[in-house]
PDB file of all heavy atoms in Angstrom:
ATOM      1  N   PRO A 692     -18.426  61.556 -31.842  1.00 96.00           N
ATOM      2  CA  PRO A 692     -19.889  61.818 -31.637  1.00 96.00           C
ATOM      3  C   PRO A 692     -20.657  61.021 -32.679  1.00 96.00           C
ATOM      4  O   PRO A 692     -21.897  60.818 -32.418  1.00 96.00           O
ATOM      5  CB  PRO A 692     -19.938  63.388 -31.999  1.00 96.00           C
ATOM      6  CG  PRO A 692     -18.644  63.725 -32.525  1.00 96.00           C
ATOM      7  CD  PRO A 692     -17.595  62.713 -32.063  1.00 96.00           C
ATOM      8  N   ARG A 693     -20.167  60.600 -33.823  1.00 97.00           N
ATOM      9  CA  ARG A 693     -20.951  59.833 -34.733  1.00 97.00           C
ATOM     10  C   ARG A 693     -21.254  58.486 -34.285  1.00 97.00           C
ATOM     11  O   ARG A 693     -22.104  57.839 -34.891  1.00 97.00           O
ATOM     12  CB  ARG A 693     -20.154  59.828 -36.130  1.00 97.00           C
ATOM     13  CG  ARG A 693     -20.073  61.142 -36.898  1.00 97.00           C
ATOM     14  CD  ARG A 693     -19.083  61.119 -37.862  1.00 97.00           C
ATOM     15  NE  ARG A 693     -17.767  60.783 -37.425  1.00 97.00           N
ATOM     16  CZ  ARG A 693     -16.564  60.868 -38.106  1.00 97.00           C
ATOM     17  NH1 ARG A 693     -16.732  61.148 -39.355  1.00 97.00           N
ATOM     18  NH2 ARG A 693     -15.419  60.671 -37.551  1.00 97.00           N
ATOM     19  N   GLY A 694     -20.514  58.076 -33.155  1.00 97.00           N
ATOM     20  CA  GLY A 694     -20.833  56.685 -32.728  1.00 97.00           C
ATOM     21  C   GLY A 694     -21.905  56.710 -31.599  1.00 97.00           C
ATOM     22  O   GLY A 694     -22.198  55.686 -31.001  1.00 97.00           O
ATOM     23  N   ALA A 695     -22.317  57.828 -31.303  1.00 98.00           N
ATOM     24  CA  ALA A 695     -23.315  57.996 -30.074  1.00 98.00           C
ATOM     25  C   ALA A 695     -24.608  57.240 -30.349  1.00 98.00           C
ATOM     26  O   ALA A 695     -25.123  57.121 -31.378  1.00 98.00           O
ATOM     27  CB  ALA A 695     -23.557  59.424 -29.852  1.00 98.00           C
ATOM     28  N   TYR A 696     -25.014  56.552 -29.382  1.00 98.00           N
ATOM     29  CA  TYR A 696     -26.316  55.844 -29.391  1.00 98.00           C
ATOM     30  C   TYR A 696     -26.857  55.780 -27.944  1.00 98.00           C
ATOM     31  O   TYR A 696     -26.216  56.050 -26.948  1.00 98.00           O
ATOM     32  CB  TYR A 696     -26.191  54.483 -30.026  1.00 98.00           C
ATOM     33  CG  TYR A 696     -25.492  53.452 -29.176  1.00 98.00           C
ATOM     34  CD1 TYR A 696     -26.311  52.551 -28.299  1.00 98.00           C
ATOM     35  CD2 TYR A 696     -24.163  53.376 -29.028  1.00 98.00           C
ATOM     36  CE1 TYR A 696     -25.611  51.602 -27.642  1.00 98.00           C
ATOM     37  CE2 TYR A 696     -23.557  52.427 -28.265  1.00 98.00           C
ATOM     38  CZ  TYR A 696     -24.287  51.528 -27.565  1.00 98.00           C
ATOM     39  OH  TYR A 696     -23.713  50.574 -26.690  1.00 98.00           O
ATOM     40  N   PHE A 697     -28.176  55.423 -27.884  1.00 98.00           N
ATOM     41  CA  PHE A 697     -28.792  55.468 -26.629  1.00 98.00           C
ATOM     42  C   PHE A 697     -29.107  53.939 -26.265  1.00 98.00           C
ATOM     43  O   PHE A 697     -29.762  53.303 -26.860  1.00 98.00           O
ATOM     44  CB  PHE A 697     -30.077  56.341 -26.588  1.00 98.00           C
ATOM     45  CG  PHE A 697     -30.614  56.610 -25.386  1.00 98.00           C
ATOM     46  CD1 PHE A 697     -30.016  57.729 -24.506  1.00 98.00           C
ATOM     47  CD2 PHE A 697     -31.694  55.963 -24.742  1.00 98.00           C
ATOM     48  CE1 PHE A 697     -30.538  58.094 -23.327  1.00 98.00           C
ATOM     49  CE2 PHE A 697     -32.175  56.361 -23.509  1.00 98.00           C
ATOM     50  CZ  PHE A 697     -31.602  57.362 -22.783  1.00 98.00           C
ATOM     51  N   THR A 698     -28.511  53.642 -25.033  1.00 98.00           N
ATOM     52  CA  THR A 698     -28.695  52.215 -24.606  1.00 98.00           C
ATOM     53  C   THR A 698     -29.846  52.206 -23.673  1.00 98.00           C
ATOM     54  O   THR A 698     -29.995  52.953 -22.792  1.00 98.00           O
ATOM     55  CB  THR A 698     -27.400  51.789 -23.841  1.00 98.00           C
ATOM     56  OG1 THR A 698     -26.293  51.940 -24.618  1.00 98.00           O
ATOM     57  CG2 THR A 698     -27.560  50.395 -23.364  1.00 98.00           C
ATOM     58  N   ARG A 699     -30.874  51.328 -24.000  1.00 97.00           N
ATOM     59  CA  ARG A 699     -31.945  51.238 -23.178  1.00 97.00           C
ATOM     60  C   ARG A 699     -32.522  49.807 -22.965  1.00 97.00           C
ATOM     61  O   ARG A 699     -32.419  49.067 -23.934  1.00 97.00           O
ATOM     62  CB  ARG A 699     -33.071  52.189 -23.801  1.00 97.00           C
ATOM     63  CG  ARG A 699     -33.286  52.060 -25.274  1.00 97.00           C
ATOM     64  CD  ARG A 699     -34.628  52.548 -25.798  1.00 97.00           C
ATOM     65  NE  ARG A 699     -34.773  53.918 -25.590  1.00 97.00           N
ATOM     66  CZ  ARG A 699     -34.457  54.897 -26.464  1.00 97.00           C
ATOM     67  NH1 ARG A 699     -33.863  54.559 -27.609  1.00 97.00           N
ATOM     68  NH2 ARG A 699     -34.794  56.153 -26.212  1.00 97.00           N
ATOM     69  N   GLY A 700     -32.961  49.625 -21.764  1.00 95.00           N
ATOM     70  CA  GLY A 700     -33.607  48.317 -21.547  1.00 95.00           C
ATOM     71  C   GLY A 700     -34.970  48.214 -22.147  1.00 95.00           C
ATOM     72  O   GLY A 700     -35.536  47.133 -22.267  1.00 95.00           O
ATOM     73  N   SER A 701     -35.565  49.392 -22.413  1.00 95.00           N
ATOM     74  CA  SER A 701     -36.802  49.385 -23.066  1.00 95.00           C
ATOM     75  C   SER A 701     -36.767  48.885 -24.514  1.00 95.00           C
ATOM     76  O   SER A 701     -35.728  48.906 -25.091  1.00 95.00           O
ATOM     77  CB  SER A 701     -37.542  50.693 -22.919  1.00 95.00           C
ATOM     78  OG  SER A 701     -36.651  51.698 -23.332  1.00 95.00           O
ATOM     79  N   GLY A 702     -37.987  48.493 -25.089  1.00 96.00           N
ATOM     80  CA  GLY A 702     -37.869  47.981 -26.468  1.00 96.00           C
ATOM     81  C   GLY A 702     -37.129  48.905 -27.379  1.00 96.00           C
ATOM     82  O   GLY A 702     -37.320  50.100 -27.329  1.00 96.00           O
ATOM     83  N   HIS A 703     -36.272  48.224 -28.173  1.00 97.00           N
ATOM     84  CA  HIS A 703     -35.446  49.181 -29.170  1.00 97.00           C
ATOM     85  C   HIS A 703     -35.448  48.483 -30.408  1.00 97.00           C
ATOM     86  O   HIS A 703     -35.456  47.234 -30.605  1.00 97.00           O
ATOM     87  CB  HIS A 703     -34.050  49.453 -28.553  1.00 97.00           C
ATOM     88  CG  HIS A 703     -33.224  48.238 -28.022  1.00 97.00           C
ATOM     89  ND1 HIS A 703     -33.026  48.016 -26.751  1.00 97.00           N
ATOM     90  CD2 HIS A 703     -32.739  47.287 -28.703  1.00 97.00           C
ATOM     91  CE1 HIS A 703     -32.273  47.007 -26.569  1.00 97.00           C
ATOM     92  NE2 HIS A 703     -32.160  46.487 -27.771  1.00 97.00           N
ATOM     93  N   ASP A 704     -35.325  49.293 -31.494  1.00 96.00           N
ATOM     94  CA  ASP A 704     -35.273  48.768 -32.833  1.00 96.00           C
ATOM     95  C   ASP A 704     -33.728  48.713 -33.176  1.00 96.00           C
ATOM     96  O   ASP A 704     -32.857  48.901 -32.368  1.00 96.00           O
ATOM     97  CB  ASP A 704     -36.032  49.628 -33.741  1.00 96.00           C
ATOM     98  CG  ASP A 704     -35.499  51.092 -33.912  1.00 96.00           C
ATOM     99  OD1 ASP A 704     -34.388  51.361 -33.389  1.00 96.00           O
ATOM    100  OD2 ASP A 704     -36.251  51.941 -34.311  1.00 96.00           O
ATOM    101  N   VAL A 705     -33.465  48.276 -34.480  1.00 96.00           N
ATOM    102  CA  VAL A 705     -32.106  48.026 -34.937  1.00 96.00           C
ATOM    103  C   VAL A 705     -31.300  49.410 -34.794  1.00 96.00           C
ATOM    104  O   VAL A 705     -30.025  49.376 -34.751  1.00 96.00           O
ATOM    105  CB  VAL A 705     -32.099  47.563 -36.380  1.00 96.00           C
ATOM    106  CG1 VAL A 705     -32.640  46.148 -36.335  1.00 96.00           C
ATOM    107  CG2 VAL A 705     -32.733  48.478 -37.330  1.00 96.00           C
ATOM    108  N   HIS A 706     -31.924  50.528 -34.824  1.00 96.00           N
ATOM    109  CA  HIS A 706     -31.126  51.837 -34.642  1.00 96.00           C
ATOM    110  C   HIS A 706     -30.968  52.233 -33.285  1.00 96.00           C
ATOM    111  O   HIS A 706     -30.625  53.362 -32.932  1.00 96.00           O
ATOM    112  CB  HIS A 706     -31.940  52.878 -35.503  1.00 96.00           C
ATOM    113  CG  HIS A 706     -32.202  52.512 -36.882  1.00 96.00           C
ATOM    114  ND1 HIS A 706     -31.272  52.183 -37.842  1.00 96.00           N
ATOM    115  CD2 HIS A 706     -33.435  52.245 -37.501  1.00 96.00           C
ATOM    116  CE1 HIS A 706     -31.946  51.809 -38.993  1.00 96.00           C
ATOM    117  NE2 HIS A 706     -33.313  51.851 -38.710  1.00 96.00           N
TER     118      HIS A 706
END
Side-chain angles (χ1 to χ4, degrees):
Chain A
R693 289 165 297 187
Y696 72 98
F697 197 75
T698 306
R699 42 162 65 89
S701 44
H703 49 254
D704 60 18
V705 295
H706 312 294

